Amino acid sequence: MNDWLVSLQGGILIFLLTLFLIGLTNLRCLRRMERYGTSARFPRVAVLVPARNEAANIGACIRSLLAQDYAHFEIIALDDDSTDRTGAMLAELAAADSRLRVLAGKPLPPDWLGKHWACHQLVQATDAELILFTDADTRHQPHALGNAVAALLREEAALITALPREHVVTWGEKLIVPLLPWSIFYFLPLGLAHRMAFPPLSATIGQFMLFRRAAYEAIGGHAAVRRHAADDLALGRHIIAHDLRWRLVDGVE
């Protein structure tokens, strides 16, 4: 019994030490997005926002995107057959600012999941060099887009994805939502993940994914993951499988 207990204690100690070392190395590898500053080059960016019944969020999201201090961007939002005021709110915002275009979603094909189909339609509506996928319930600081583009160019990456600050209200959210960044920080050695062509070692956050369009098309885009429930994770793994460079950054600020 004593030998078993000593072995158990030793295993727990090794496990905790491993988590500590991964977290320590990630302090250096998980770079804050704002530290990239701004780039001297401003490739055109299309910010793509699929929205379905997001009347409670879409106004604040779009206004935060329109407030970006980046020089060359457009916003394309897709109303995916909403039954609330999402479509009307988008139309009002578009009428007030020409940088916003609004699409009406087409009928869902039988072999697609809804959000993936919406994202696919959004990409087809632009020829921008860079494409940023973000969710309708997000908010963006004015420098977010410029910092993300600077990170993409400086890292020579095909994909930049960012950990966001999550707004949690209920006790359930407070208990569950922090598990995602915690698990990434302590279980995913980013130094290795960024350098190894090993798809399971990836962490892609669907709330903020900035792609080079050429890379997105090279991996097959959302058509390649149209039946995969977690499209963000699947796209990230396709990037790695195609030997393309990606970076996860800290977008909390």
Side-chain angles (χ1 to χ4, degrees):
M1 177 64 72
N2 287 338
D3 290 343
W4 176 85
L5 184 59
V6 169
S7 177
L8 177 63
Q9 291 172 335
I12 293 173
L13 181 61
I14 291 171
F15 175 71
L16 294 176
L17 181 60
T18 301
L19 296 188
F20 173 77
L21 291 175
I22 291 174
L24 194 62
T25 60
N26 282 347
L27 281 174
R28 298 187 63 183
C29 295
L30 186 62
R31 188 172 180 181
R32 291 172 63 177
M33 194 164 71
E34 64 269 21
R35 290 187 177 177
Y36 286 96
T38 56
S39 173
R41 187 169 78 86
F42 300 96
R44 188 160 69 92
V45 182
V47 182
L48 309 179
V49 187
R52 180 180 175 87
N53 293 335
E54 290 286 356
N57 296 303
I58 195 65
C61 175
I62 296 297
R63 283 190 289 270
S64 75
L65 290 170
L66 289 169
Q68 294 301 302
D69 57 14
Y70 189 74
H72 197 190
F73 74 99
E74 65 174 340
I75 304 168
I76 309 176
L78 183 140
D79 177 25
D80 189 16
D81 198 25
S82 298
T83 57
D84 62 6
R85 294 196 68 252
T86 297
M89 294 174 69
L90 285 171
E92 293 169 4
L93 290 163
D97 197 314
S98 61
R99 293 173 299 171
L100 171 63
R101 285 194 286 144
V102 180
L103 307 179
K106 298 178 181 178
L108 180 67
D111 59 341
W112 282 76
L113 295 178
K115 182 184 176 183
H116 307 32
W117 175 236
C119 289
H120 176 78
Q121 293 173 78
L122 285 163
V123 174
Q124 303 308 306
T126 182
D127 60 356
E129 180 181 345
L130 306 181
I131 50 178
L132 171 65
F133 294 101
T134 192
D135 289 346
D137 60 354
T138 57
R139 311 288 186 271
H140 303 261
Q141 295 291 347
H143 54 273
L145 186 55
N147 292 161
V149 172
L152 185 86
L153 297 180
R154 194 168 303 171
E155 295 287 355
E156 298 181 340
L159 166 64
I160 289 289
T161 186
L163 279 172
R165 180 188 297 276
E166 301 281 3
H167 179 62
V168 293
V169 178
T170 67
W171 277 109
E173 291 172 341
K174 292 177 181 179
L175 289 172
I176 296 172
V177 171
L179 289 176
L180 174 61
W182 183 86
S183 62
I184 290 173
F185 193 79
Y186 286 104
F187 284 90
L188 180 67
L190 286 173
L192 290 176
H194 285 161
R195 290 168 176 79
M196 293 181 62
F198 186 54
L201 281 182
S202 66
T204 313
I205 312 300
Q207 291 161 308
F208 196 98
M209 298 188 299
L210 178 65
F211 284 91
R212 294 182 191 266
R213 185 191 183 95
Y216 174 84
E217 292 178 344
I219 66 172
H222 277 82
V225 300
R226 61 185 179 274
R227 297 179 184 175
H228 199 293
D231 61 319
D232 50 356
L233 293 178
L235 288 168
R237 291 180 177 183
H238 274 62
I239 284 285
I240 296 173
H242 283 74
D243 200 25
L244 296 170
R245 189 178 178 92
W246 71 286
R247 287 293 182 269
L248 173 69
V249 297
D250 178 1
V252 167
E253 295 302 324

